[in-house]
Amino acid sequence: MPETTVVKVGLGARAYDIHVGVGAIDRAGALIAPLAGRGRVVAVSDRNVWPLHGERLTAALRAAGLGCESIVLPAGESTKSFEGLAGLLDRLLDLGVERRDLILAFGGGVIGDLAGFAAAILKRGVDYAQIPTTLLAQVDSSVGGKTAIDVRQGKNLVGAFHQPRLVIADVGLLHSLPERERRAGYAEIVKYGLIDDTPFFAQLEREHGALETLDLGRIAGWVTHSCRAKARVVEADEREQGMRELLNLGHTFGHALEAALGYDEALRHGEAVALGMAMAFRLSERLGLCRAEDRARVEAHLAAVGLPTRRAQINGLKSDAAALYALMRQDKKTRDGRPRFVLARGIGKAFPGADAPESDVLAVLS
Ligand code: GLY
């Protein structure tokens, strides 16, 4: 059996482990068996992931004596909708899922958020585990219990905190992930360096070539480091009353950009976060908080891996600054109608809850 590195998320009665490693999926049965009360798992996946990896997952579960049914949904952000949720709940109920069963989210962020939310509300709460198959989901969305769907007014506006019982991050699965998706996920790894970990950012500046060569050893190291960072934040502020907001570095800008494009393929979430982080550093510099050298270093690193740092790089983005600002006001973090930002006093020195004059925000968005 493959070795995995275990990261603990210490949340008392809701504590769980994150297993990171190449081939970790082959341990799914052994890891999940103690969590599936009557030996039954329902995997929720999508039409990209299931044909590639479904058989391997099923074999791992069966080897541990677990029964596995699957629900395979269309791939893409539009599945994370009221309609998608209703359809999934309907199928889970038709399968007779009980509280003692385990729902298994097997896919990227869309599947994790949707299946997690369905688990949170089905029969007032069913356990679930995450097997994230994208880099973005492995370092961010599968950890910490945020679940949600998108609605007309914005992304992730309807959801619940519902912690998984287990996360298995198999970096070997990244082989089948398109290069663009790997790059997009990398943006969330950079985020941890920018928030409070300058040495990690410097490590990424040295090692980023491993993303292109798919050096799984190095990537597993980044995933483990990122999950540890996220676990620390979630342990301190599970329900985002304060410091968890730090994890939204780049997201106020990023979500507005995504909404402007209608969550289109033109801009992946991680790309929006990369551009959003560049904008957050530009706003920080404009407000006299951060040195130009730090802002330039952030932009240079993102650009070095092929991530966008300028709005002109986004095809089809027609909204002007005022329209993007209006979208920002829909953000969950908005207070009294004013968007709030995570800004930075330098690399590794981010702080949450910042207000900024509208004129400066508009200048950065232009
Ligand atoms: N993705 C941000 C968070 O989990 O809080």
Side-chain angles (χ1 to χ4, degrees), residues 140-141 143-144 146 188 191 230 234 240 244-245 247-248 251:
D140 182 41
S141 60
V143 176
K146 277 191 181 175
E188 298 276 7
K191 185 182 78 176
K230 179 141 190 187
V234 170
E240 201 169 279
R244 185 162 179 172
E245 280 190 30
L247 298 177
N248 295 316
H251 284 61

Side-chain angles (χ1 to χ4, degrees), residues 69-256:
E69 274 137 316
S70 59
I71 298 176
V72 182
L73 303 172
E77 189 79 29
S78 57
T79 298
K80 223 180 102 176
S81 59
F82 268 122
E83 296 72 28
L85 176 69
L88 175 56
L89 290 170
D90 194 53
R91 290 173 72 181
L92 290 167
L93 288 166
D94 278 349
L95 283 173
V97 170
E98 293 183 6
R99 280 196 179 151
R100 288 172 307 153
D101 295 329
L102 189 89
I103 294 173
L104 189 52
F106 186 44
V110 166
I111 289 295
D113 283 6
L114 176 71
F117 188 35
I121 58 177
L122 185 75
K123 301 192 172 174
R124 298 203 182 96
V126 176
D127 284 347
Y128 76 115
Q130 293 264 19
I131 304 190
T133 57
T134 64
L135 186 56
L136 187 133
Q138 291 182 352
V139 298
D140 182 41
S141 60
S142 68
V143 176
K146 277 191 181 175
T147 73
I149 55 168
D150 304 332
V151 291
R152 181 175 56 77
Q153 293 83 349
K155 203 173 152 76
N156 296 333
L157 289 185
V158 176
F161 287 98
H162 185 46
Q163 297 294 340
R165 298 286 313 278
L166 170 77
V167 180
I168 301 174
D170 184 346
V171 291
L173 302 181
L174 302 178
H175 267 302
S176 56
L177 193 68
E179 201 182 330
R180 184 175 172 199
E181 297 291 336
R182 289 202 293 266
R183 274 204 301 266
Y186 182 81
E188 298 276 7
I189 296 176
V190 175
K191 185 182 78 176
Y192 294 107
L194 295 180
I195 289 174
D196 66 352
D197 195 343
T198 320
F200 186 50
F201 183 78
Q203 178 187 339
L204 294 172
E205 285 180 313
R206 292 190 303 274
E207 293 183 354
H208 70 81
L211 188 68
E212 205 170 318
T213 57
L214 211 52
D215 175 342
L216 294 181
R218 281 221 197 286
I219 295 174
W222 303 340
V223 172
T224 304
H225 195 100
S226 301
C227 288
R228 282 206 184 105
K230 179 141 190 187
R232 275 197 301 273
V233 174
V234 170
E235 285 163 3
D237 179 22
E238 184 184 2
R239 295 178 76 87
E240 201 169 279
Q241 302 300 304
M243 96 179 254
R244 185 162 179 172
E245 280 190 30
L246 281 170
L247 298 177
N248 295 316
L249 175 62
H251 284 61
T252 309
F253 286 107
H255 280 168

